[in-house]
């Protein structure tokens, strides 16, 4: 890819973190740290994995580069092309779609003025769709950078994107104030006694 760096090496701080991950595994099993090291490399590279970064991870873990490429291309959390400062991933699996993800996705497109897999002209946002973020009871859900925003509607996601654009970091979690994955309509059981406390 044009513009991709030809070389890559972990910074000393990132290398120290990588060594901590590698140390979690017994001798001969260091390749088990590949996901963690790819995440570190992606963060150091500005949100994506150029080939030089994957090659460096392979070298650090004494793996064949193809094995690292296989991992990086399998997991959707890794970006093989440059992305914006914020990666906005809208869940479009059935539970989210039934709860309004189509409206949330359209609001993202309108607010950011990009289509799926597009990056805004200012390089601030990349819009992606994602299959199942694993919190279906809190649908619809959007994953932005390291945070999950839940119980969204078009107005809520527009507000989140506007705040991110100004440099603010909106509080992740439910847009409706729901506690974790409690029923949206409120408690139906355990409403009396110490358990409700």
């Amino acid at each position: 890819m044009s513009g991709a760096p030809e070389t890559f090496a972990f910074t000393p701080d990132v290398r120290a973190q990588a060594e901590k991950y590698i140390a979690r595994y017994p001798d001969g099993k260091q390749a088990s740290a590949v996901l963690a090291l790819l995440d570190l490399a992606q963060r150091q590279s500005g949100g994506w994995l150029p080939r030089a970064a994957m090659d460096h991870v392979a070298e650090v873990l004494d793996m064949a580069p193809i094995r690292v490429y296989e991992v990086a291309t399998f997991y959707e959390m890794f970006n093989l092309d440059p992305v914006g400062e914020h990666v906005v991933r809208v869940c479009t699996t059935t539970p989210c779609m039934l709860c309004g993800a189509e409206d949330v996705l359209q609001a993202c497109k309108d607010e950011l003025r990009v289509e799926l897999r597009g990056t805004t002209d200012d390089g601030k946002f990349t819009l992606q769709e994602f299959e199942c973020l694993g919190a279906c009871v809190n649908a619809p859900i959007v994953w932005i950078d390291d945070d999950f925003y839940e119980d969204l509607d078009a107005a809520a996601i527009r507000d989140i994107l506007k705040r991110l654009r100004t440099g603010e970091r909106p509080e992740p979690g439910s847009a409706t104030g729901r506690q974790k994955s409690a029923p949206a309509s409120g408690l139906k059981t355990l409403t009396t006694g110490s358990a409700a406390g």
Side-chain angles (χ1 to χ4, degrees):
M1 142 168 283
S2 98
E6 293 183 20
T7 62
F8 175 92
F10 285 136
T11 65
D13 288 346
V14 175
R15 180 61 187 237
Q17 184 62 50
E19 293 299 335
K20 288 180 185 176
Y21 286 128
I22 294 167
R24 295 179 181 177
Y25 300 97
D27 287 340
K29 302 294 182 189
Q30 291 82 4
S32 298
V34 67
L35 286 172
L37 269 62
L38 284 171
D39 181 63
L40 291 173
Q42 180 166 274
R43 290 173 190 274
Q44 183 178 317
S45 297
W48 71 292
L49 284 172
R51 185 171 179 169
M54 292 185 279
D55 290 343
H56 181 68
V57 168
E59 181 183 328
V60 169
L61 295 175
D62 194 26
M63 294 174 68
I66 187 65
R67 298 294 174 227
V68 175
Y69 306 157
E70 288 170 344
V71 173
T73 58
F74 180 80
Y75 290 99
E76 286 186 272
M77 63 192 167
F78 297 120
N79 301 304
L80 302 181
D81 294 304
V83 294
E85 179 184 337
H86 302 290
V87 179
V88 179
R89 298 171 183 98
V90 180
C91 182
T92 57
T93 307
T94 303
C96 281
M97 290 301 273
L98 290 172
C99 292
E102 194 168 357
D103 294 336
V104 170
L105 180 57
Q106 189 60 52
C108 289
K109 289 178 179 181
D110 294 344
E111 186 65 34
L112 301 175
R113 296 185 182 95
V114 295
E115 292 298 317
L116 281 172
R117 293 171 295 287
T119 298
T120 57
D121 291 340
D122 61 4
K124 278 267 196 196
F125 297 93
T126 296
L127 180 61
Q128 299 176 349
E129 102 185 289
F130 203 86
E131 291 302 316
C132 196
L133 293 172
C136 303
V137 73
N138 299 74
I141 301 170
V142 174
W143 173 21
I144 303 175
D145 304 330
D146 289 331
D147 297 319
F148 291 83
Y149 297 91
E150 306 162 351
D151 298 315
L152 295 170
D153 59 19
I157 191 61
R158 281 179 180 275
D159 179 63
I160 289 166
L161 295 173
K162 285 176 182 173
R163 291 165 65 192
L164 284 167
R165 190 177 293 284
T166 65
E168 192 179 338
R169 192 74 194 172
E171 185 70 27
S174 174
T176 63
R178 182 198 324 216
Q179 181 184 9
K180 310 239 184 252
S181 296
S185 59
L187 291 176
K188 303 290 184 206
T189 61
L190 303 174
T191 58
T192 61
S194 62

